[in-house]
Amino acid sequence: MDTFYISHGAPTLSIDESLPARHFLKAWQDRCLCQRPTSILVVSGHWEATVPTVNVIAGRNETIHDFYNFPEQMYKLKYPAPGAPELAKKVKELLMASGFEHVEEDKTRGLDHGAWVPLMLMYPEADIPVCQLSVQPNRDGSYHYNLGKALAPLKEEGVLIMGSGSATHNLRAPRNCPTPPWALDFDTWLKDALLEGRYKDVNQWEEKAPCAKMAHPWPDHLYPLHVAVGAAGENAKAKLIHHSWHKGGSLSYASYQFTSATV
C-alpha cells in the first residue's frame, strides 16, 4: 500500500465544483491510485496535541465542522465513517515500540475537516473504518518522519496512511489573487525535493526551503507530509499526482503519492 499526502486546501473544497482539486479527489477510485484499503489512518493538520494522540471510536465517527463563517450548507455535511479502534490500538503499540513513550487515546473525538472533506470525495460511501492521529506542532519534521517510519508495518495490513494538509498554508496572505512569488518558490522547491528523493532536506525545510516561513508560518499543515514520507521508507519514490492553486491564489493543492522501494 502506498502512502499519500493530500492538500485539502480550503474547507470549500467540500462544495465548490470550480476547484480542480475537488474533481481530482472525486475521481480517486476511478484512477486506481491504490487498492481499496481495509482501514484508513489520517494525519490531519487540524488536530494538534503535545504528544501523539489517536481517536479510538467504537461506533461511527462524528463529523467535526471546525471552520467558521462559511456557507450554511457546509455545516450540514456529514461523513459517518465507522471508527477503527483496532487500528488505533495498533498505532499506539507501534509508536510506543519505536520509542514514543507517551501516546494518548481520545475516545470522543470525531473526524475534523482535514479528514472528512477529502475522504467524502474519495470514498463517499463512508464505509471504510477511519481513525486519526494528531500532529505535534512543538516538534520538527524529523520527529514526524520518524512517527511515520514507526507506522510503516500498517501498509502490509492494507491500511491507507494519508497525510492531510496543504503544500502552502499562509491564511493571512491573500488567496484569491495571482499566485505570489513566495508561494511559487516554496511549492516548486518542495516538488523538486520530493521528486528527487531529498527527504532529509524536506525534514529540514525551515532551513533549506525558500520562503519557508511565508509558506508555512505554522508547521501543522506540513507535518502530515513528513509522516507520509516516513511511512513510505527511506528510498521511497515520490510522484506528484495533482497540482492546482485555490482560485489562482497562494494556497497550493499539490498532492503526492509515495511508493516504497522494492528490495
Side-chain angles (χ1 to χ4, degrees):
M1 182 70 79
D2 291 346
T3 66
F4 294 85
Y5 174 69
I6 303 298
S7 287
H8 63 255
T12 49
L13 181 68
S14 61
I15 62 169
D16 191 343
E17 293 290 348
S18 73
L19 295 174
R22 176 179 170 86
H23 296 283
F24 157 69
L25 291 172
K26 288 178 71 173
W28 182 267
Q29 295 185 66
D30 293 337
R31 291 167 61 100
C32 299
L33 289 169
C34 68
Q35 65 193 56
R36 180 179 170 84
T38 57
S39 53
I40 302 172
L41 174 62
V42 181
V43 183
S44 166
H46 289 282
W47 189 12
E48 301 178 7
T50 54
V51 298
T53 307
V54 289
N55 71 329
V56 185
I57 303 299
R60 295 274 174 176
N61 278 294
E62 293 292 329
T63 304
I64 303 174
H65 299 89
D66 50 339
F67 42 76
Y68 309 95
N69 299 318
F70 282 90
E72 182 179 353
Q73 67 188 100
M74 292 171 57
Y75 298 94
K76 298 178 181 179
L77 297 172
K78 302 289 184 183
Y79 190 77
E86 293 183 4
L87 172 58
K89 297 286 188 182
K90 187 66 178 290
V91 167
K92 182 176 181 178
E93 291 172 3
L94 288 171
L95 292 178
M96 295 190 74
S98 295
F100 294 88
E101 296 180 0
H102 302 288
V103 181
E104 300 291 338
E105 298 181 10
D106 188 321
K107 297 184 179 180
T108 61
R109 191 181 195 280
L111 303 179
D112 62 56
H113 81 270
W116 67 262
V117 168
L119 289 179
M120 179 184 70
L121 303 173
M122 297 161 64
Y123 299 105
E125 301 86 1
D127 58 355
I128 301 174
V130 181
C131 83
Q132 280 197 236
L133 174 65
S134 68
V135 295
Q136 286 66 72
N138 57 320
R139 306 308 289 259
D140 61 10
S142 295
Y143 172 93
H144 287 85
Y145 177 91
N146 290 327
L147 200 74
K149 190 175 179 180
L151 300 172
L154 295 175
K155 297 180 300 178
E156 304 304 320
E157 301 177 14
V159 177
L160 171 59
I161 301 174
M162 184 180 93
S164 179
S166 286
T168 57
H169 192 252
N170 186 339
L171 299 184
R172 293 180 178 178
R175 277 178 278 173
N176 298 328
C177 63
T179 303
W182 60 262
L184 287 168
D185 289 348
F186 182 89
D187 190 66
T188 300
W189 176 88
L190 184 62
K191 179 192 69 175
D192 292 345
L194 290 172
L195 298 188
E196 294 167 11
R198 293 188 282 113
Y199 300 135
K200 186 173 290 186
D201 286 354
V202 175
N203 286 347
Q204 300 172 356
W205 63 280
E206 290 178 287
E207 294 80 32
K208 301 288 187 179
C211 311
K213 283 299 185 181
M214 276 296 293
H216 289 276
W218 300 274
D220 49 281
H221 274 56
L222 197 60
Y223 284 164
L225 168 67
H226 296 100
V227 178
V229 173
E234 185 176 350
N235 297 310
K237 182 70 174 177
K239 179 181 179 181
L240 179 67
I241 53 175
H242 176 76
H243 190 274
S244 61
W245 295 94
H246 186 79
K247 299 185 181 297
S250 63
L251 202 57
S252 171
Y253 282 102
S255 297
Y256 295 89
Q257 177 179 13
F258 302 98
T259 302
S260 300
T262 55
V263 179

